[in-house]
Structure formats: structure tokens, C-alpha cells
Amino acid sequence: MNAPGGPLVEVIADEDWAAVVTSAADGLLDDGRPQRWCLATGATPRPLYRQWAERLDLSAVEVVLLDEWIGLDADDPGRCAAMLHHDLVEPMPEQRRPTVTAIDVDAPLDPQWPGPLDLAVVGLGANGHVGMNEPGTAPDSPTRRVDLAETTAAGALRYGARRRPTGGVTVGLGPLQQARRVWVIVTGDHKAGIVERALNGPETTDVPASLLRSHPAVTWWLDHSAAGRL
Ligand code: PGA
């Protein structure tokens, strides 16, 4: 549980960030019981997942994707499922790999998907989004198909996508609020301004990440660069 008055904010030296967050994740795996973790993909978790692949035994974990693009080919390397496999699953020895449940963007969507979560690891978009919950998203939003902000769609090209996605599917803020624990991971000085707005500004749908401040067990794992304006 967090101290009254706000979310737990951990500020870590840039060079130690991935190792510290990895140790915290390892601590959640102690008893070997089955768990379901919802994981972001993209640039921020890449160094983290490299360490998870080296150090963690995720064989009791079902990983579900936080979001997925619409409009990319099944074999596009920029798909979130492809990034998760490339960054986390493939580098792990087989016996320590999690099971992975991807998002079928063509199937009917359950608004409460993926159901109970032990942990949700989410990044922070430059526009304050969480997953693909863009500015304007309601705090109790379901899992659903979404239109993407310009900067979000362009992000897919940075991740190596062959074309611009036409939309996305994201776990909603509603199911994320129900997770037992939420970790917001943010690195780099290019995120310092939006971190400051998300943590010190008003809780507003204009900055969807600010709405996670009210989660009873949220931790913001920031490196010094991302925390530079707090
Ligand atoms: P990034 O994306 O980790 O690639 O910076 C974060 C996000 O847009 O949620």
C-alpha cells in the first residue's frame, strides 16, 4: 500500500534503473504461485526486459500484452507482440519463459480483458498516455479499439513498423485500476516534463497517467533523468 497522500515514487540513478526494477520484479516471484502480468512494450522496457531475460524465472507468469496496433501485417516487427517476443521471451532460456497471451485485434473484445492482474507494467507516452489510452480517456475506460494520437502512430515507425498503424487495441484504464499493483516505468530527460505534469499537475483526463495516481498500489519507477523536473 502507498503512503497516504500520493503514489510511491522511486527515483533511481539512470545506470541502476533496470537492475533495481528487475530486483523488485524478482521479489514478486518468490513463492512461485501463478500470476498474470500485463506488460508494455516499446523503448522504455527494453533494457528492463533484457535483465528480466537474464535473471528472472517467469515460468509461473502469464504475460498479457498491454496494447497492440491495428493495421500492421501479422509478421510486422513493429507489432507489440513481436517486440515482446524479441525483447523478453526469445532471449530467455525456454524453461524460464512466461506464457504469453497476445491481443487478437480482429476478434470481439471483452471490455474487462484481461481480467484480474497481479501486476501491470505501463510506460508513459510523451502526451501522457498509458497504453493507448490517449488524452481524453475516461478513468473507467474499458479494453477497446482506439484511434491513435499522431505521435503515438508515428511511434510505431520508430519501433520498426513497416507502415503506420490505423488504430490500436488497448487495455482500458478501468481494468488497469483493478490490477493488484501498477508500475509506471519512465526513463530519460525527454519525459521529465510529462512526468512532472502526471505527478504534480491536476488529475485529469488530459493526462491519462495522472489518473493512475489514485490507484492504491501504484509505484512510479523513474530514473534521475525522467525525475529531473520533480
Ligand atoms: P516508449 O513509449 O517507452 O517507447 O517511450 C512509451 C509510451 O508511449 O507509452
Side-chain angles (χ1 to χ4, degrees):
M1 275 313 229
N2 297 339
L8 189 59
V9 180
E10 299 280 0
V11 180
I12 304 158
D14 293 16
E15 60 277 16
D16 297 335
W17 178 85
V20 170
V21 182
T22 298
S23 295
D26 200 19
L28 302 180
L29 295 165
D30 276 355
D31 55 8
R33 81 190 157 80
Q35 302 193 40
R36 184 185 289 142
W37 291 5
C38 179
L39 299 186
T41 51
T44 309
R46 218 157 247 166
L48 185 62
Y49 295 164
R50 197 171 305 132
Q51 297 220 9
W52 289 17
E54 279 171 22
R55 291 174 46 193
L56 300 190
D57 181 349
L58 297 180
S59 56
V61 176
E62 178 196 2
V63 167
V64 295
L65 273 175
L66 174 63
D67 46 18
E68 186 55 277
W69 310 109
I70 294 174
L72 301 187
D73 293 335
D75 66 347
D76 194 304
R79 288 177 64 237
C80 299
M83 287 192 277
L84 184 77
H85 277 274
H86 177 268
D87 296 342
L88 177 66
V89 179
E90 279 155 25
M92 287 189 109
E94 246 169 75
Q95 67 276 14
R96 293 199 277 109
R97 287 180 182 171
T99 56
V100 176
T101 304
I103 298 177
D104 182 351
V105 296
D106 299 318
L109 286 172
D110 172 355
Q112 290 310 312
W113 192 86
L117 291 169
D118 296 281
L119 175 67
V121 179
V122 302
L124 174 65
N127 66 355
H129 75 195
V130 171
M132 293 175 187
N133 294 288
E134 302 285 15
T137 300
D140 59 351
S141 56
T143 295
R144 67 206 186 284
R145 293 186 174 75
V146 290
D147 294 329
L148 299 174
E150 266 305 301
T151 47
T152 308
L157 304 177
R158 271 205 324 276
Y159 301 145
R162 293 191 200 112
R163 64 170 69 121
R164 223 178 162 81
T166 54
V169 172
T170 187
V171 174
L173 294 179
L176 290 175
Q177 289 284 11
Q178 300 299 317
R180 201 163 156 210
R181 283 192 181 81
V182 175
W183 287 1
V184 186
I185 55 169
V186 199
T187 55
D189 52 15
H190 62 299
K191 297 275 179 78
I194 192 65
V195 164
E196 198 274 329
R197 281 180 69 198
L199 282 171
N200 292 344
E203 289 184 45
T204 166
T205 57
D206 292 346
V207 183
S210 71
L211 302 172
L212 292 177
R213 296 211 306 254
S214 56
H215 189 282
V218 62
T219 305
W220 288 65
W221 297 99
L222 310 177
D223 71 1
H224 271 287
S225 297
R229 293 211 203 155
L230 291 180

